[in-house]
Amino acid sequence: MPNLEHPAYPAADLLHLEGLVPCRESQVSTLLSLFGERQQFSFPSIFIYGHTSSGKTYVMKTLLTTLQLPHVFVNCVEYFTSRLLLEEILSQLQSCPSGTEQASPVRCDTLNDFVRLFKQALASQELQDQTFYIVLDRAEQLREMEANILPAFLRLQELTDRNVTVILLSEIVWELFRPNMGCFEPFTMYFPDYSIGHLQKILSQNHPPEYSADFYAAYINILLGVFYMVCRDLKELRHLAALNFAKYCEPVVRGEANERDTRKLWKNIEPHLKKAMQTVYLREISSSQWERLQHDGGEPGQLKGLSAHTHVELPYYSKFLLIAAYLASYNPVRTDKRFFLKHHGKIRKTNFMKKHEKTSNHLLGPKPFPLDRLLAILYSIVDNRVAPTANIFSQITSLVTLQLLSMVGQNDQLDGPRYKCTVSLDFIRAIARTVNFDIIKYLYDFL
């Protein structure tokens, strides 16, 4: 028994649509009731909101395309000014039936011009006898435009005297949209988050043909058991499912287990899912790199300390200054010759290390260093020549302001200022990776 029924649309199209939008039949049914028949006037404006990855954009695109309803679809982040937005709507409208690109760009400076050109375009495309839909995705960006844009879209049907419906898609509630002076109230609709059962059903539809549906459904059940509490984003979960499925199948491919041996399959995939937990949303490495690291086995260095990715964005030379400061704080002074001088000779660590240096410098904490040592290390680790300009010294001050470095002692010391680096090893490794610098090779504790 199909869930979607409407006398204005063929039953075959509705059945096909139902298969494309699983777990959103209730919302689609409500939208079909609002749309009515093609020639009927629909609601002037509809506001759809919900969290990210709750299916708003996908459902709306699929619904309008499957039922072949005339529409334009515009992302307000891409067209971020009122002029770009209005011109894009007119441009898509003029190429709506054929789908061909418009030869000459449309120029539209004001809302009056838009209303006039919109009516002309509807007449030229012979769309007056059916509802035309304007879908504005990421509609919260409309609040950053001129004050008259949002009220005008909400009552565009009245302004143009045409059968047009404006649909706003957003991640925030309508109360944050409503202008202080008041406006036409749209019909609001909420898209709830997918439940774990919905995610199980949706993700299980993507099973590879070489494996049974039950085998892939069991894998999705394990995946959701690990990730559901920290990630409910359908796109991210789909990415994780595709990324780790090959590892889940390894015992079956090697003949060590069959598809129903859930215990062996879980023991094989469990450590890899725990490692993948550290990279949810981060995309610190590509999918191909992740698969290569899984294939090589062992603990990939790129995946350690990923919480350090929360660092602030720094200029190029500030990153090297911070790296140089970390090396100066955690390396003994006598090791600078070994690390940063090309012809330092052969130095054995056993003879080089004093009794009180056997304790790890990372356990003792950062030690203060003078400014000239910091700059000397900086010039050694940067490939190109760096002049000691005011820009470099201002970046050191900025690092102190950001509390990545701390100044030790008073500013009026005769031997100049002394600093300490306050960041952790995980943090500095994340910084060093962004400039392709292997900091471990330059730390005395890791020799």
PDB file of all heavy atoms in Angstrom, residues 343-348:
ATOM      1  N   HIS A 343      77.457  20.903   9.163  1.00  0.00           N
ATOM      2  CA  HIS A 343      78.677  20.129   9.353  1.00  0.00           C
ATOM      3  C   HIS A 343      79.037  20.115  10.840  1.00  0.00           C
ATOM      4  O   HIS A 343      79.988  20.728  11.288  1.00  0.00           O
ATOM      5  CB  HIS A 343      79.808  20.734   8.522  1.00  0.00           C
ATOM      6  CG  HIS A 343      79.472  20.870   7.075  1.00  0.00           C
ATOM      7  ND1 HIS A 343      79.340  19.791   6.232  1.00  0.00           N
ATOM      8  CD2 HIS A 343      79.198  21.988   6.329  1.00  0.00           C
ATOM      9  CE1 HIS A 343      79.022  20.219   5.012  1.00  0.00           C
ATOM     10  NE2 HIS A 343      78.925  21.547   5.053  1.00  0.00           N
ATOM     11  N   HIS A 344      78.211  19.400  11.601  1.00  0.00           N
ATOM     12  CA  HIS A 344      78.402  19.393  13.052  1.00  0.00           C
ATOM     13  C   HIS A 344      79.282  18.231  13.517  1.00  0.00           C
ATOM     14  O   HIS A 344      79.616  18.126  14.684  1.00  0.00           O
ATOM     15  CB  HIS A 344      77.051  19.316  13.770  1.00  0.00           C
ATOM     16  CG  HIS A 344      76.226  18.139  13.353  1.00  0.00           C
ATOM     17  ND1 HIS A 344      76.472  16.856  13.773  1.00  0.00           N
ATOM     18  CD2 HIS A 344      75.142  18.074  12.525  1.00  0.00           C
ATOM     19  CE1 HIS A 344      75.574  16.036  13.242  1.00  0.00           C
ATOM     20  NE2 HIS A 344      74.765  16.739  12.477  1.00  0.00           N
ATOM     21  N   GLY A 345      79.599  17.332  12.587  1.00  0.00           N
ATOM     22  CA  GLY A 345      80.383  16.170  12.984  1.00  0.00           C
ATOM     23  C   GLY A 345      79.482  15.081  13.555  1.00  0.00           C
ATOM     24  O   GLY A 345      78.276  15.248  13.732  1.00  0.00           O
ATOM     25  N   LYS A 346      80.066  13.952  13.882  1.00  0.00           N
ATOM     26  CA  LYS A 346      79.296  12.817  14.396  1.00  0.00           C
ATOM     27  C   LYS A 346      79.234  12.894  15.912  1.00  0.00           C
ATOM     28  O   LYS A 346      80.263  12.903  16.591  1.00  0.00           O
ATOM     29  CB  LYS A 346      79.952  11.519  13.957  1.00  0.00           C
ATOM     30  CG  LYS A 346      79.051  10.304  14.105  1.00  0.00           C
ATOM     31  CD  LYS A 346      79.669   9.116  13.421  1.00  0.00           C
ATOM     32  CE  LYS A 346      78.722   7.927  13.469  1.00  0.00           C
ATOM     33  NZ  LYS A 346      79.302   6.746  12.812  1.00  0.00           N
ATOM     34  N   ILE A 347      78.025  12.966  16.462  1.00  0.00           N
ATOM     35  CA  ILE A 347      77.836  13.084  17.904  1.00  0.00           C
ATOM     36  C   ILE A 347      77.003  11.896  18.373  1.00  0.00           C
ATOM     37  O   ILE A 347      75.896  11.669  17.886  1.00  0.00           O
ATOM     38  CB  ILE A 347      77.119  14.401  18.274  1.00  0.00           C
ATOM     39  CG1 ILE A 347      77.932  15.582  17.746  1.00  0.00           C
ATOM     40  CG2 ILE A 347      76.915  14.516  19.771  1.00  0.00           C
ATOM     41  CD1 ILE A 347      77.246  16.916  17.939  1.00  0.00           C
ATOM     42  N   ARG A 348      77.549  11.135  19.306  1.00  0.00           N
ATOM     43  CA  ARG A 348      76.811  10.003  19.857  1.00  0.00           C
ATOM     44  C   ARG A 348      76.020  10.457  21.069  1.00  0.00           C
ATOM     45  O   ARG A 348      76.539  11.148  21.946  1.00  0.00           O
ATOM     46  CB  ARG A 348      77.779   8.894  20.257  1.00  0.00           C
ATOM     47  CG  ARG A 348      78.550   8.317  19.077  1.00  0.00           C
ATOM     48  CD  ARG A 348      79.511   7.259  19.535  1.00  0.00           C
ATOM     49  NE  ARG A 348      78.786   6.142  20.149  1.00  0.00           N
ATOM     50  CZ  ARG A 348      79.407   5.150  20.768  1.00  0.00           C
ATOM     51  NH1 ARG A 348      80.736   5.145  20.859  1.00  0.00           N
ATOM     52  NH2 ARG A 348      78.699   4.179  21.304  1.00  0.00           N
TER      53      ARG A 348
END
